[in-house]
Amino acid sequence: APLACADISVATTGNDTTGTGSLAAPYATPRKGVQMANPGDSVIVRGGTYAGNYIEIQDDNLTLKSYPGEWAHISMPTSGTTSVTVWVYNTGVKLERLEISGGSPYSIHVVPNCNGCEITDCKIHGADWIGIKVSQPDNVKLRRCEIYNTGSVTAGGMGIDCVNGDNILIQDCHFHDCNG
């Protein structure tokens, strides 16, 4: 029988050691929630700021999103580190209704062969250089996002940089204050 997809809960009041990922016993960081998820699961992040733990999404069809009615902010510094805030390594990943800030050189990096990824209703800002770097994947969708204040450290900042990707959809997005 096919496995059912799970909802993994994360909250600022959670615990990465004793949490189970349930709503009653959430993990403390989105990074831990993503590490414990399986392909097809949703990592649902309660409102608040989650700073200093980059996220690597390495499962297909994983969704990372804010809890309904709340707004989760995932951030990394832009100095003293070289780490993207959110790395997308697999196909079909969805980022929904998140604030993603900082990161060096990018806030979000969709790496080669991560086809069919979607970034929807997100605020992406404060990247060292580029808000979203899309490196060779196809069929990436970027919808209703606000991307701003890029190039906060490195001159020539950009909202999005797509290299060798095909069928990239950018729809109803607002780009402003990019240092390009």
Side-chain angles (χ1 to χ4, degrees):
L3 294 173
C5 296
D7 288 343
I8 310 292
S9 293
V10 174
T12 57
T13 57
N15 187 304
D16 281 352
T17 303
T18 61
T20 62
S22 68
L23 196 54
Y27 295 118
T29 62
R31 182 179 185 170
K32 180 68 171 185
V34 166
Q35 287 171 344
M36 299 306 293
N38 293 305
D41 288 351
S42 291
V43 178
I44 303 171
V45 186
R46 300 298 305 255
T49 299
Y50 302 84
N53 284 303
Y54 64 90
I55 298 168
E56 294 178 322
I57 301 175
Q58 298 187 24
D59 287 320
D60 287 341
N61 303 312
L62 187 82
T63 299
L64 177 65
K65 63 183 178 178
S66 291
Y67 187 83
E70 296 180 5
W71 198 257
H73 178 194
I74 301 166
S75 69
M76 283 291 291
T78 56
S79 61
T81 183
T82 302
S83 183
V84 171
T85 307
V86 177
W87 295 87
V88 177
Y89 287 105
N90 283 63
T91 296
V93 170
K94 294 180 183 178
L95 304 175
E96 298 176 2
R97 236 175 56 72
L98 297 164
E99 181 175 357
I100 300 170
S101 68
S104 177
Y106 325 121
S107 289
I108 300 171
H109 190 183
V110 182
V111 302
N113 302 314
C114 294
N115 300 324
C117 296
E118 297 182 21
I119 303 170
T120 306
D121 298 316
C122 291
K123 294 179 187 178
I124 300 138
H125 63 92
D128 171 339
W129 183 30
I130 298 169
I132 303 171
K133 176 74 170 186
V134 179
S135 302
Q136 299 176 345
D138 297 334
N139 303 310
V140 172
K141 296 176 183 169
L142 180 64
R143 291 187 170 126
R144 298 179 306 277
C145 292
E146 181 181 13
I147 302 169
Y148 61 99
N149 193 27
T150 59
S152 63
V153 177
T154 304
M158 296 176 268
I160 185 169
D161 182 25
C162 179
V163 179
N164 295 328
D166 292 322
N167 295 326
I168 307 300
L169 173 70
I170 301 172
Q171 183 178 45
D172 297 326
C173 293
H174 182 201
F175 295 85
H176 62 92
D177 299 309
C178 296
N179 181 17

